[in-house]
Amino acid sequence: QLQLQESGPGLVKPSETLSLTCTVSGGSISSSSYYWGWIRQPPGKGLEWIGSIYYSGSTYYNPSLKSRVTISVDTSKNQFSLKLSSVTAADTAVYYCARGDQFYWGQGTLVTVSS
Amino acid sequence: DIVMTQTPLSSPVTLGQPASISCRSSQSLVHSDGNTYLSWLQQRPGQPPRLLIYKISNRFSGVPDRFSGSGAGTDFTLKISRVEAEDVGVYYCTQATQFPFYTFGQGTKLEIK
């Protein structure tokens, strides 16, 4: 059974960079033809796709976040990562990682942007 | 961008009764490969989203058969034949036809009367 787990700081200061990692277990990121993605959910609100990455490193970002987002992959560690720069309170959300077909999701991690 | 619009946004239902949620896309979700990449997610309170239905009508592993999906083109429906207490939560439609760009509906909150 494929499992995904997000990790990273739960508190980030305004204007700094949010960094999260998703560790995949029960399967290899590079052994299949799936994309891997990040989705976020502000408190009490709906889901927003942030971006996706293929194991080869090809990336696709939500145009509304593109200038601040970087997603990378480390196949040796079976992980992919999210960096979101210049964060504000509006970036406070639960951040989820998921396989590209949305068949599998992580449990999510709450990131709060506050000084 | 494809915009996904769900109705209703809130649905109070009596236990044991059916429920239905509609999802409309701003353009056809038929992919050039012939598939329609419309999925339904369930998010129970305090839980991550969980895939229920993919490609309009395919139930994901472990999903009870009281959940069914239908539709074509731009109009889709999720139906629950007999609502149970564990079905309370928010339901989202999502499209992956513009893969790898995804969009979600606003969500429909299912609650028990």
Side-chain angles (χ1 to χ4, degrees), chain A residues 35 39 41 45-49 52 60-61 63 96 100-107, chain B residues 1 39 41 43 47-51 54 60 92 94-95 99-102 104-106:
Chain A
Y35 277 79
I39 300 101
Q41 184 173 37
K45 295 188 178 181
L47 301 167
E48 179 182 34
W49 172 71
S52 301
Y60 296 87
Y61 301 134
Y96 297 100
D101 56 5
Q102 299 176 20
F103 278 30
Y104 299 97
W105 291 67
Q107 287 296 306
Chain B
D1 287 5
S39 300
L41 307 172
Q43 187 173 32
Q47 295 293 312
R50 161 200 179 200
L51 182 69
Y54 63 97
F60 188 52
Y92 296 92
T94 175
Q95 68 81 23
F99 173 86
F101 298 93
Y102 303 88
F104 299 92
Q106 321 97 298

